Amino acid sequence: LEACLDACRLLLSSPRTLVLFGSYSIGKERVYLHVARELNITLHVDAAKRRMLDCLGLPPEDLACLTADVAATRWRVVPMVALRLDRARALLQQCGGKYDSCVAFRPSGWCFGRGGARRHGDVTVHEVAYSEHSSFDELRACVHDLAPSRIIPTVNCHRADKVREMLQLLRSK
């Protein structure tokens, strides 16, 4: 959280830089809301994201950091998939020259060990090793202790062979 905050603090003096925070449909709120609170900035969220955030029971001061008006701020919360270099560049270009560059933050446990920034021209994507859930070892211990009869994967579950491999790893000691 503090690394993102420090980087964003530097971006305050770059008004022609579009800033993006990656988010899942639910998850990573702590990252962008921490930055918004500490720097007193407003974040754009689309209508679907706002509906989801309204369900979380966030404090009024956090909700006050959000706007549906995309033109009101250069700080945006976007789906994680929007942080691919080509898609971030497309978002930058959609702004019609209002911004010269784009800096994005991808907070994910999947970034662990590979962190750092990828820069391609006017777009920089910071890979931020960040997770709010249990480690794989902790999940494995939980499966061992609870011995569930069924596990339903929700991550990397697009291929049956990968699902079987993950379930086997979860059930192993």
Side-chain angles (χ1 to χ4, degrees):
L1 292 177
E2 293 309 309
C4 285
L5 177 60
D6 291 344
C8 288
R9 191 173 277 121
L10 296 173
L11 291 169
L12 285 172
S13 62
S14 302
R16 293 190 45 86
T17 299
L18 177 65
V19 182
L20 307 175
F21 294 95
S23 178
Y24 299 122
S25 58
I26 186 167
K28 312 307 178 190
E29 292 81 16
R30 287 184 182 173
V31 175
Y32 56 83
L33 289 173
H34 178 68
V35 171
R37 281 190 306 269
E38 293 297 316
L39 300 182
N40 195 31
I41 59 169
T42 302
L43 301 162
H44 170 263
V45 294
D46 66 22
K49 183 67 173 179
R50 179 56 192 246
R51 284 191 302 275
M52 182 65 71
L53 293 171
D54 286 343
C55 293
L56 297 180
L58 296 171
E61 56 272 17
D62 283 348
L63 295 175
C65 296
L66 307 174
T67 182
D69 181 3
V70 72
T73 182
R74 64 190 176 98
W75 307 82
R76 299 183 186 177
V77 177
V78 298
M80 227 31 115
V81 69
L83 300 186
R84 287 183 14 196
L85 289 171
D86 60 332
R87 293 185 180 178
R89 177 164 290 105
L91 281 173
L92 177 62
Q93 291 170 347
Q94 289 170 11
C95 294
K98 185 173 182 179
Y99 306 109
D100 298 324
S101 61
C102 174
V103 173
F105 296 89
R106 182 194 321 267
S108 174
W110 296 104
C111 297
F112 183 75
R114 70 171 193 228
R118 290 182 308 141
R119 185 176 187 159
H120 191 265
D122 49 6
V123 175
T124 302
V125 178
H126 291 273
E127 302 280 350
V128 181
Y130 177 81
S131 181
E132 295 177 341
H133 56 75
S134 302
S135 69
F136 194 79
D137 288 340
E138 292 167 330
L139 289 173
R140 189 178 328 171
C142 180
V143 167
H144 179 264
D145 291 346
L146 297 178
S149 59
R150 185 172 179 206
I151 300 171
I152 302 172
T154 59
V155 175
N156 292 338
C157 54
H158 304 293
R159 288 183 27 204
D161 60 326
K162 292 293 184 184
V163 169
R164 281 191 298 277
E165 180 183 341
M166 184 185 339
L167 292 176
Q168 183 178 359
L169 287 170
L170 278 171
R171 290 187 171 121
S172 67
K173 279 192 170 187

